[in-house]
Amino acid sequence: MPSLLSNPPTQMRLLIILLLLFPAGLYAQKDRIDTFIENAMTRQQIVGLAVGVIKNGKVIKAKGYGQANLELNTPVTTKTVFKLGSVSKHLIAVAIMKMTQEGKLKLDDPVTKFYPDAPSHWSAITIRHLLNHTSGLVRESPIFDGMAAQPDSLLIRAAYKDSLVFPTGSKWQYCNLGYFILADIIRQTDKRSFSEYMQKEIFKKNGLLTTQVTSLDNLVYNRAGGYVRLGGDTITNALNYVALRPSGAFLSTIDDMLKWEMLIQEGKILSKERWLQMWQDLAKTNDIDKSYGYGWYVTRYKNRKTVFHGGSLPGFRSQYFRFPDERTAIIILTNSEPSNPAIIAQGIADIIL
C-alpha cells in the first residue's frame, strides 16, 4: 500500500495542519533570545555563557553559548559547571530558613549564642541582621586570603577586634563576613560541616546532583575555566581561589538552577510562607530603588516586582532575575570578566515580558 506521505497534496495538507498547530510564537521568541545573547556576547567579549529562562512556570530556554574551556575547545552546554559567586547567598539563606522551619534556629537568635566569646559590640547582632546585611560588621574578615585555606571560625574571630561600621540595625551595608558566620552557624547547629550539610540536605535531597560546594580537589566533570580579558584579544586564565568562600560558595549548572527555580515556585524545601519571607522581610539599601531580603535584592522592573542577585568571582560573573508574580525567571552564568550578565538578563526580560 502506498504511503499517504507519497501523495503531494496530502503532504501539503499535513504541512498546513502542522504549521497551524506549531507554537510559532514560542520558537520565534527563542530565536530573538539567541540573537540577543550572541550579539551581547560579541559586544562584551564573553568567552562562554549558559542561560536558563522560565516563563509562566515553564522552561522556554536552556542553552549554552561559546566556550567552557578555550584550551580544550570545549563548548558550553546546560551541563557546564560554573562558579555562582554571590548568587550562592540565597542558597545559604534557604538552609537557615529550613533550620528555622524545623525549630532548630530562630531569626532573632543572637550571634553571641554561637560565639559566646564575641566582643560586647556584637551582642545586638542576630541571624536576621546577618541575612539582610544590617549587622554593622565589616564587609570582609581582616585576614581573608583567597589563596589560603582557613577555617571559617578563624576568619570570624579575626573580626572581633574591628569596630562596627554602624550600630546594628541602623543601616545597610553589603557584608560577606555575615555569610561566613551563617555558614558556621549551620555547622554548629547541624554538627556536620557546612559543605556536608548543604550537599546532603539541600542539594542531593532535592535532585540538584551537580550543584556542590566549590572544591579544587574534587573531580568536577564539565567544569568551566574562568577567563579574564586584558584588552583587545589578550585573555588569560583567572585566579582560582584556594579558599572556600561561603559568601560565594557554590558551583552549579543551568540545568540545576532551573530545577532550583521550580523548587522555589512549587514551594518545596520551605513552606510558601517562608519563601515569601525571604523577599518580603526587607532592609532598605543605599539605593532608594532597592531593598534587601534574605540573600536577595528586591526592586521593580517594568513595573513588576523583581527579586534578583548577581555573583562575581575571578573569571566568573552570574545573574539571577526572578519575577515571582509572573512565575518567571532568567538565570545567566558566564566564565568571563569583565562581563555584565545583568544587562543580558534585563534584555531577555524586555523580550519575554
Side-chain angles (χ1 to χ4, degrees):
M1 179 181 290
S3 168
L4 287 175
L5 295 180
S6 65
N7 185 328
T10 300
Q11 288 181 9
M12 183 61 68
R13 285 196 298 273
L14 287 172
L15 178 59
I16 292 169
I17 291 169
L18 286 171
L19 287 173
L20 290 172
L21 295 175
F22 196 81
L26 173 59
Y27 281 84
Q29 185 181 79
K30 284 189 175 184
D31 290 342
R32 288 181 65 196
I33 294 173
D34 287 337
T35 301
F36 174 77
I37 288 175
E38 288 161 4
N39 290 339
M41 288 179 70
T42 299
R43 285 193 303 272
Q44 295 190 31
Q45 295 186 298
I46 294 173
V47 174
L49 179 151
V51 63
V53 183
I54 291 174
K55 182 177 180 180
N56 295 328
K58 295 183 179 180
V59 176
I60 66 166
K61 174 70 76 176
K63 190 172 179 178
Y65 306 78
Q67 297 296 307
N69 188 294
L70 287 172
E71 290 143 308
L72 299 176
N73 194 30
T74 307
V76 174
T77 72
T78 60
K79 300 186 186 308
T80 298
V81 178
F82 292 83
K83 293 181 181 179
L84 296 183
S86 286
V87 168
S88 303
K89 283 187 168 66
H90 84 273
L91 300 171
I92 294 173
V94 168
I96 291 290
M97 293 297 283
K98 182 174 184 289
M99 288 183 164
T100 67
Q101 185 168 272
E102 295 165 347
K104 297 174 182 177
L105 292 175
K106 295 179 181 177
L107 292 177
D108 292 329
D109 281 342
V111 169
T112 50
K113 175 180 176 180
F114 309 95
Y115 290 90
D117 60 337
S120 59
H121 59 270
W122 282 37
S123 60
I125 300 172
T126 67
I127 287 175
R128 179 180 276 104
H129 293 126
L130 300 177
L131 287 167
N132 65 19
H133 301 299
T134 58
S135 66
L137 294 170
V138 292
R139 178 176 173 128
E140 307 285 355
S141 169
I143 64 167
F144 175 76
D145 179 355
M147 302 312 293
Q150 298 171 289
D152 292 342
S153 56
L154 182 66
L155 293 163
I156 293 162
R157 286 187 168 89
Y160 281 4
K161 62 183 178 58
D162 291 321
S163 301
L164 295 180
V165 180
F166 51 80
T168 298
S170 67
K171 289 173 132 182
W172 180 92
Q173 179 174 292
Y174 199 77
C175 179
N176 285 321
L177 176 61
Y179 277 75
F180 279 72
I181 298 171
L182 289 169
D184 203 51
I185 288 173
I186 290 169
R187 175 192 67 82
Q188 290 189 44
T189 303
D190 185 70
K191 309 305 180 188
R192 286 177 285 183
S193 71
F194 162 69
S195 300
E196 186 179 2
Y197 177 85
M198 294 299 299
Q199 200 71 38
K200 292 184 177 178
E201 300 299 325
I202 303 298
F203 303 145
K204 284 190 176 179
K205 280 190 176 180
N206 294 289
L208 306 182
L209 302 182
T210 304
T211 306
Q212 59 194 282
V213 175
T214 301
S215 169
L216 299 184
D217 299 324
N218 294 344
L219 291 177
V220 178
Y221 297 103
N222 302 312
R223 190 200 296 255
Y227 299 100
V228 180
R229 291 268 184 195
L230 300 179
D233 294 328
T234 305
I235 187 168
T236 66
N237 287 304
L239 183 69
N240 216 352
Y241 277 172
V242 172
L244 169 63
R245 188 176 171 82
S247 56
F250 304 119
L251 303 172
S252 193
T253 65
I254 278 297
D255 281 347
D256 266 13
M257 295 308 290
L258 288 170
K259 288 180 188 175
W260 179 254
E261 171 61 25
M262 293 313 300
L263 288 169
I264 298 175
Q265 291 194 19
E266 293 166 4
K268 302 292 179 62
I269 307 176
L270 304 177
S271 67
K272 289 196 174 182
E273 292 73 23
R274 277 187 165 80
W275 278 116
L276 288 171
Q277 188 177 359
M278 291 182 65
W279 52 85
Q280 289 182 348
D281 184 10
L282 299 173
K284 203 67 186 164
T285 71
N286 303 326
D287 183 332
I288 60 171
D289 295 325
K290 294 178 188 174
S291 299
Y292 200 94
Y294 304 166
W296 290 110
Y297 287 97
V298 180
T299 188
R300 296 193 73 80
Y301 184 72
K302 288 186 167 290
N303 203 32
R304 291 171 168 87
K305 186 168 190 171
T306 309
V307 177
F308 73 100
H309 215 291
S312 175
L313 280 170
F316 292 87
R317 298 290 186 271
S318 59
Q319 191 71 41
Y320 194 152
F321 268 30
R322 303 191 68 250
F323 300 93
D325 295 339
E326 286 79 17
R327 296 185 299 131
T328 292
I330 301 160
I331 307 160
I332 308 284
L333 307 177
T334 79
N335 62 345
S336 295
E337 74 167 282
S339 65
N340 191 339
I343 294 292
I344 300 173
Q346 287 175 359
I348 295 172
D350 291 344
I351 293 171
I352 68 172
L353 291 177

